[in-house]
Amino acid sequence: MLLSFVIPSYNDFRILETIKSIKKIEAPKDKIEIIVQDGGSKKDLLNKIKKVIGPNDKLFVENDYGIFDGINRGLKNSSGDMIATLGTDDRVFNLNYSRLLSKYLMGYNFIQYDIHYTDSDWNPIRFWKARKISF
């Protein structure tokens, strides 16, 4: 199972920490792909992004119509069996790839995780606990 992380971006250096947090996930490196869908950031930031992404990752630089257009373009450019969208100010913590894979193999097509909201210094603001979805 390939897990794609789609990150729409535009001139936000926080994306570098977002990418680094994804790189810390304990999973076979060929099972994770990062898609940076950039709306035309400055060259300095694009060069830094190129340095932190890996050989399986992709950087697309093209004008878009905002964050949701960037997400949709990134989804089209991803190859993943499962896809997570992140903002440039998001981080991934404690993602268990093996557990995610087992849920995927059981037929799950939607998975949610807890969300920790923080301020710019990473101090907790609030916590949103993932819950079971009922239909």
Side-chain angles (χ1 to χ4, degrees):
M1 174 196 71
L2 179 64
L3 175 58
S4 295
F5 288 91
V6 172
I7 312 167
S9 175
Y10 181 72
N11 281 330
D12 191 343
F13 278 84
R14 296 177 296 178
I15 191 173
L16 302 172
E17 292 301 318
T18 303
I19 294 169
K20 289 176 186 176
S21 76
I22 296 167
K23 296 289 184 185
K24 292 179 182 176
I25 296 171
E26 292 185 26
K29 295 305 173 198
D30 64 336
K31 299 298 182 186
I32 302 236
E33 126 183 297
I34 299 171
I35 307 296
V36 176
Q37 189 68 42
D38 190 273
S41 295
K42 296 178 182 173
K43 286 187 179 187
D44 181 41
L45 177 56
L46 294 174
N47 288 332
K48 290 181 180 190
I49 290 171
K50 289 175 187 175
K51 288 180 182 176
V52 296
I53 61 174
N56 296 329
D57 305 328
K58 301 171 190 163
L59 169 61
F60 296 95
V61 182
E62 54 190 1
N63 292 331
D64 58 41
Y65 295 104
I67 190 169
F68 296 108
D69 185 39
I71 290 170
N72 287 327
R73 289 169 187 248
L75 293 173
K76 289 178 183 176
N77 288 320
S78 68
S79 306
D81 302 298
M82 293 195 84
I83 301 170
T85 59
L86 297 173
T88 54
D89 60 343
D90 293 333
R91 306 294 177 273
V92 176
F93 297 106
N94 302 322
L95 189 139
N96 185 320
Y97 178 84
S98 297
R99 186 169 180 216
L100 187 62
L101 175 60
S102 70
K103 298 292 184 188
Y104 173 77
L105 294 173
M106 291 169 58
Y108 284 69
N109 58 16
F110 177 83
I111 297 171
Q112 61 182 2
Y113 280 87
D114 297 340
I115 299 174
H116 299 260
Y117 294 93
T118 64
D119 63 18
S120 59
D121 294 320
W122 298 104
N123 297 312
I125 296 173
R126 68 178 189 224
F127 174 73
W128 185 78
K129 176 81 174 150
R131 295 175 181 90
K132 184 177 181 180
I133 298 174
S134 58
F135 298 95

